[in-house]
């Protein structure tokens, strides 16, 4: 079991460029999440999905889009990167809703926008 | 509304001594409480959770936490610290009816001194 994997691990973008982060899980979890982690702010939820073909906005969705075409994959897109999106991005999945079930996290993607 | 506070940025403890990492919370319903640990350059790992039942919850790696409703606290404890316990610890809170909204604290860095 690989658990939750994320690609890429590191990325440097210039302002205005776009990119897609890929998250994959092999635990057959229904729920998947994208968070960003910034110093002194903990983790903040960007978008989440409660099943294949569904997505919903989290706490800080602006500037990001997501897709869940397959149950095991959850993609996070940045359409026009901004320096404020410099962060570490974590994907997570859970068997049930994260409000009561533990989440399994990927290793993270460190993104720098210059 | 829900919030969680981790009042200490860093906790230092000598190896072999007991450790406590503090967490207090605020929710509008019955709380669901979690502790996660993050090792350097890794994703978060689940340690334990309180949903209902016994106030003392036992988790992974010898950690436990005590739910105190009157003090709205959920402190993480371990009887004897190991150097390998050095990491960043996150408390998180949700509540029944909170759906996918889990609020994470900003984290407490635990340093175990040999």
């Amino acid at each position: 079991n690989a658990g939750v994997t994320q690609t890429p691990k590191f990325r440097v973008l210039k302002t205005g460029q776009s990119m897609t982060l890929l998250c994959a899980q092999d635990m057959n979890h229904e729920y998947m999440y994208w968070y960003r982690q910034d110093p002194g702010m903990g983790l903040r939820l960007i978008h989440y999905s409660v099943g294949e073909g569904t997505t919903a906005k989290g706490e800080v969705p602006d500037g990001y889009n997501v897709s869940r075409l397959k149950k095991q994959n959850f993609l996070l897109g940045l359409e026009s990167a901004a320096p404020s999106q410099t962060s570490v991005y974590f994907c997570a999945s859970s068997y049930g809703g994260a409000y009561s079930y533990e989440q399994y996290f990927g290793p993270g993607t460190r993104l720098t926008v210059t | 509304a829900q919030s969680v506070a981790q009042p200490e940025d860093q906790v230092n403890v000598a190896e072999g001594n007991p450790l406590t990492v503090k967490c207090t919370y605020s929710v509008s319903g019955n709380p669901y409480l979690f502790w996660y640990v993050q090792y350097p350059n890794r994703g978060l790992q689940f340690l334990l959770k309180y949903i209902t039942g016994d106030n003392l919850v036992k988790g992974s790696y010898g950690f436990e936490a005590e739910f105190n409703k009157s003090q709205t606290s959920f402190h993480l404890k371990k009887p004897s610290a190991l150097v390998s316990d050095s990491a960043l610890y996150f408390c998180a809170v949700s509540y029944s009816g909170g759906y996918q909204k889990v609020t994470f604290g900003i984290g407490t860095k635990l340093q175990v001194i040999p």
Side-chain angles (χ1 to χ4, degrees):
Chain A
N1 264 0
V4 179
T5 58
Q6 293 181 232
T7 53
K9 288 185 168 52
F10 303 93
R11 187 73 186 268
V12 178
L13 287 180
K14 294 185 177 179
T15 298
Q17 288 184 321
S18 62
M19 77 164 294
T20 300
L21 282 67
L22 171 63
C23 175
Q25 54 95 3
D26 62 2
M27 295 172 283
N28 203 34
H29 286 168
E30 289 291 340
Y31 297 77
M32 295 188 75
Y33 311 84
W34 275 107
Y35 291 91
R36 58 178 289 171
Q37 183 180 31
D38 301 292
M41 300 192 73
L43 271 74
R44 293 181 292 169
L45 182 64
I46 304 171
H47 286 280
Y48 65 94
S49 169
V50 301
E52 181 178 314
T54 74
T55 63
K57 293 180 180 179
E59 186 184 356
V60 289
D62 293 342
Y64 305 95
N65 57 74
V66 288
S67 64
R68 182 105 181 264
L69 299 179
K70 293 183 179 181
K71 186 177 183 179
Q72 64 268 34
N73 295 338
F74 195 29
L75 279 64
L76 177 71
L78 283 71
E79 297 168 340
S80 179
S84 61
Q85 294 178 304
T86 293
S87 187
V88 181
Y89 292 85
F90 288 101
C91 176
S93 70
S94 61
Y95 175 75
Y99 65 97
S100 63
Y101 284 82
E102 55 266 34
Q103 297 177 72
Y104 294 79
F105 285 81
T109 295
R110 186 173 296 273
L111 174 67
T112 302
V113 183
T114 61
Chain B
Q2 61 196 61
S3 65
V4 60
Q6 293 182 244
E8 301 154 317
D9 290 336
Q10 181 160 334
V11 171
N12 296 322
V13 63
E15 185 177 23
N17 282 3
L19 69 88
T20 298
V21 182
K22 295 180 180 178
C23 172
T24 59
Y25 66 89
S26 174
V27 294
S28 53
N30 291 322
Y32 296 162
L33 295 153
F34 302 80
W35 276 103
Y36 287 85
V37 60
Q38 184 180 30
Y39 298 101
N41 300 313
R42 302 285 296 276
L44 278 68
Q45 296 178 30
F46 170 77
L47 278 179
L48 51 80
K49 68 180 179 183
Y50 171 83
I51 302 297
T52 186
D54 287 343
N55 290 342
L56 184 64
V57 179
K58 294 188 182 296
S60 307
Y61 312 121
F63 284 93
E64 58 188 27
E66 185 168 11
F67 170 64
N68 188 316
K69 188 172 184 178
S70 62
Q71 297 186 6
T72 62
S73 66
F74 190 57
H75 301 332
L76 182 70
K77 299 182 180 183
K78 187 174 183 182
S80 179
L82 300 173
V83 172
S84 57
D85 292 330
S86 298
L88 191 57
Y89 290 81
F90 290 93
C91 182
V93 65
S94 184
Y95 66 98
S96 56
Y99 200 46
Q100 304 307 326
K101 183 167 175 56
V102 178
T103 299
F104 287 83
I106 63 172
T108 297
K109 183 178 180 180
L110 174 66
Q111 189 76 32
V112 181
I113 303 161

